[in-house]
Amino acid sequence: MKKLIAFFGGSGGLGTKVTQYLTQYKVDSLSSKDVNLVNSSDIDIYLHNNEPDVIVIFSNYNFNSFLHKYTNNEKDLYTQIDVNIKGVTELVSKTLVGMRARGFGRIILASSVTVDKNVMGTGIYAASKAYYENLVKTIALENASKGITANCIQLGYMDGGLTYTLPDEFIQNTINSIPVKRLGKPKEIASTIEFLINNEYVNGSTLKLTGGL
């Protein structure tokens, strides 16, 4: 029987490109309309009706702003916290209950190159991604004995998703700064997800898919 991947953010621009390569799995591509991470009942209903072997979380809310300007954008500040921190944490917490009972689970969170390569205006977004990189270490410590792994994929600039919300000049300058001189491919993300599903000994880690940045 194929393993079930619950891919949160799998119906977005980048997620859609990634999931088409995960053909050896049953994939639920979930948008915020399917499961709103700030709505506890949405999470409860999904997990009541499904028993995912793997959860991949690409869902996030991003709003670029200098920190001193958040006084005029408090809603966007708190939405980032509600989705990226509170929502993701609740989803992981509740998913772990079923995974521990079944004795198997894979938790894969999408981090960002902005954790290590600071970009002005991305402070809150980058901080939430840094939280994931630390969180998977604790999840691994607490759950490895139950057949569960938790890891991050630190995404660089990829061919899809948020990259194409950036100005063309910024994208080209960024490509020039990447040692491999190109954007990352969705197929490379998919193969990394498959690696993390199949390798139990990689646990509590962050794999950098950044082209050398």
Side-chain angles (χ1 to χ4, degrees):
M1 182 179 294
K2 290 185 176 181
K3 289 184 172 63
L4 172 61
I5 299 176
F7 200 126
F8 296 86
S11 63
L14 182 59
T16 299
K17 291 184 176 183
V18 173
T19 55
Q20 68 178 327
Y21 294 106
L22 298 171
T23 55
Q24 32 183 328
Y25 304 94
K26 179 182 177 183
V27 181
D28 276 350
S29 295
L30 302 163
S31 70
S32 59
K33 293 180 180 178
D34 301 309
V35 179
N36 186 339
L37 295 186
V38 300
N39 189 334
S40 294
S41 63
D42 277 11
I43 297 173
D44 292 339
I45 291 169
Y46 180 78
L47 293 177
H48 176 75
N49 294 324
N50 300 276
E51 295 184 341
D53 303 290
V54 180
I55 61 167
V56 177
I57 305 179
F58 274 37
S59 297
N60 66 79
Y61 183 84
N62 182 39
F63 180 81
N64 292 337
S65 173
F66 281 25
L67 287 173
H68 70 278
K69 293 185 177 180
Y70 271 113
T71 54
N72 301 318
N73 298 291
E74 287 189 351
K75 179 180 178 181
D76 293 294
L77 168 63
Y78 293 124
T79 300
Q80 286 185 92
I81 295 170
D82 286 343
V83 175
N84 301 351
I85 301 296
K86 293 171 63 178
V88 169
T89 303
E90 182 174 2
L91 173 59
V92 169
S93 175
K94 290 180 174 179
T95 303
L96 279 169
V97 175
M99 287 181 172
R100 286 175 63 89
R102 295 188 294 274
F104 179 88
R106 299 288 184 265
I107 295 169
I108 301 170
L109 307 182
S111 179
S112 167
V113 68
T114 57
V115 172
D116 292 328
K117 188 175 176 62
N118 300 109
V119 177
M120 289 190 296
T122 66
I124 303 303
Y125 175 79
S128 68
K129 298 299 185 178
Y131 167 73
Y132 300 161
E133 293 191 12
N134 189 275
L135 183 66
V136 295
K137 297 176 184 179
T138 302
I139 297 171
L141 285 171
E142 294 175 349
N143 296 279
S145 64
K146 298 294 185 179
I148 297 168
T149 68
N151 295 285
C152 278
I153 303 174
Q154 188 185 103
L155 298 176
Y157 295 94
M158 312 306 294
D159 186 10
L162 289 177
T163 297
Y164 288 103
T165 66
L166 302 170
D168 290 341
E169 183 179 359
F170 181 90
I171 294 174
Q172 189 55 56
N173 289 337
T174 298
I175 290 173
N176 291 337
S177 73
I178 299 170
V180 297
K181 303 302 181 186
R182 64 172 175 82
L183 300 175
K185 299 176 182 178
K187 185 176 182 178
E188 292 169 324
I189 301 174
S191 66
T192 305
I193 290 171
E194 291 181 345
F195 169 74
L196 291 174
I197 292 172
N198 293 319
N199 195 319
E200 185 181 35
Y201 211 65
V202 180
N203 204 354
S205 298
T206 296
L207 300 186
K208 295 185 178 184
L209 203 62
T210 63
L213 279 177

